[in-house]
Amino acid sequence: MSTLDTKVVAITGASSGIGEATARELAARGAAVVLGARRTDRLATTVARIRDEGGRAEMLETDVTERGDLEALVALAVDRFGRLDVLVGNAGIARTAPVADLDVDSWDAMIDVNVRGVLHGIAAALPVFRDQGHGHFVTTVSTSGLKIVPTQAVYAGTKNAVRTLLEALRQESTDGTLRTTSISPGFVQTELVDYVEDPELRAQYQDTMATFGISPDAVARAIAFAIEQPGDVEIGDITLRPTRQN
Ligand code: NDP
């Protein structure tokens, strides 16, 4: 029996990077995984790969800015696998620029995906967790929220909003039925910075990622570690970064 054989885990942002690596890692350890994101072609490839390797996986087109999409993702897990043990709220976007650029559309987009998206997941999963008598929220926040750097003000703000949200949820739920975990990665080699609009800034980030970013598999292993603890043990925070990151 693998360590996660009894777990059903839904993951947002599972079409690439950390979410995709997490789906594959958890499935390899025996979990049933339900993958959500907008790029269904990428989800289908990962689901097929997991199934080929003997794992259990389902997928659903999911835009986390739509509350109903999260409800449908949670419902799919319950329908196919009988329950939902963990929701990994991982979908996220990073748009970096000095605040004075007043890139308000990017601010709104980050708040919608990174904050509202996680709240939609909580709204969808918490009633199921309450009915079951157990549940676990894991979110991907960031070292950007711990060490503030120029051009990342709003991105870092969204990540710290989510960190705060999970800590408050933890304090409100001390009856032993709910676990919360915030994962704070540093630079991880993914597509995240490919969408930074300023070409010079984008090139700088891409260079940093390529030079010393860690593999998304490392974050996936950290998430697996938090999930596979016994039910009376909560891993509240994990920070992991490249050893060369300042
Ligand atoms: P990727 O760009 O590879 O992954 C981002 C994921 O989020 C994709 O699967 C994307 O799927 C999904 N996503 C974006 N918008 C939406 C939306 N509206 N609805 C549903 N899914 C959405 O980057 P990472 O893997 O790096 O990012 C994963 C998380 O890790 C993010 O929250 C990010 O902030 C965080 N993080 C990343 C770090 C890094 O250095 N890479 C460091 C610290 C934190 P699709 O476009 O198909 O919908």
Side-chain angles (χ1 to χ4, degrees):
M1 193 185 201
S2 305
T3 50
L4 293 178
D5 268 353
T6 59
K7 299 285 186 190
V8 179
V9 185
I11 304 155
T12 67
S15 57
S16 60
I18 293 168
E20 179 191 334
T22 300
R24 291 180 43 224
E25 179 72 29
L26 299 182
R29 295 185 191 211
V33 290
V34 180
L35 286 69
R38 294 165 306 171
R39 289 172 296 174
T40 51
D41 53 334
R42 303 273 294 253
L43 293 179
T45 302
T46 304
V47 166
R49 188 171 169 181
I50 290 171
R51 289 178 178 166
D52 283 350
E53 291 165 358
R56 296 172 293 159
E58 298 288 343
M59 57 169 273
L60 188 69
E61 181 174 358
T62 308
D63 182 337
V64 297
T65 67
E66 300 290 337
R67 184 176 172 189
D69 283 12
L70 267 302
E71 289 170 347
L73 189 73
V74 169
L76 177 65
V78 174
D79 181 52
R80 296 293 160 84
F81 300 115
R83 62 182 192 284
L84 177 69
D85 300 300
V86 187
L87 177 62
V88 181
N90 165 74
I93 57 172
R95 305 284 183 267
T96 54
V99 175
D101 283 5
L102 303 184
D103 186 1
V104 178
D105 289 343
S106 289
W107 301 351
D108 289 344
M110 284 189 281
I111 291 165
D112 281 347
V113 177
N114 300 0
V115 183
R116 238 184 280 282
V118 172
L119 284 166
H120 289 160
I122 290 171
L126 202 52
V128 173
F129 289 173
R130 280 211 194 99
D131 287 350
Q132 295 173 163
H134 74 275
H136 189 170
F137 287 113
V138 178
T139 59
T140 318
V141 290
S142 175
T143 55
S144 298
L146 300 172
K147 179 173 189 250
I148 311 304
V149 293
T151 76
Q152 295 182 8
V154 179
Y155 176 71
T158 63
K159 294 302 183 179
N160 275 347
V162 169
R163 192 192 312 277
T164 303
L165 175 68
L166 252 64
E167 172 58 13
L169 190 55
R170 184 190 74 75
Q171 292 185 25
E172 289 168 4
S173 323
T174 51
D175 61 356
T177 61
L178 188 75
R179 299 194 290 178
T180 66
T181 304
S182 293
I183 307 281
S184 301
F187 286 113
V188 185
Q189 285 178 352
T190 70
E191 301 166 20
L192 188 72
V193 295
D194 296 350
Y195 304 98
V196 169
E197 275 171 1
D198 180 278
E200 203 175 318
L201 210 49
R202 183 169 63 240
Q204 275 174 25
Y205 277 120
Q206 285 172 329
D207 184 53
T208 304
M209 292 280 204
T211 310
F212 64 75
I214 55 176
S215 161
D217 294 341
V219 186
R221 289 193 298 272
I223 291 173
F225 171 75
I227 293 175
E228 69 190 2
Q229 297 303 310
D232 62 343
V233 176
E234 179 181 68
I235 304 294
D237 295 274
I238 296 178
T239 300
L240 69 161
R241 56 170 80 80
T243 46
R244 290 176 62 192
Q245 182 173 336
N246 67 14

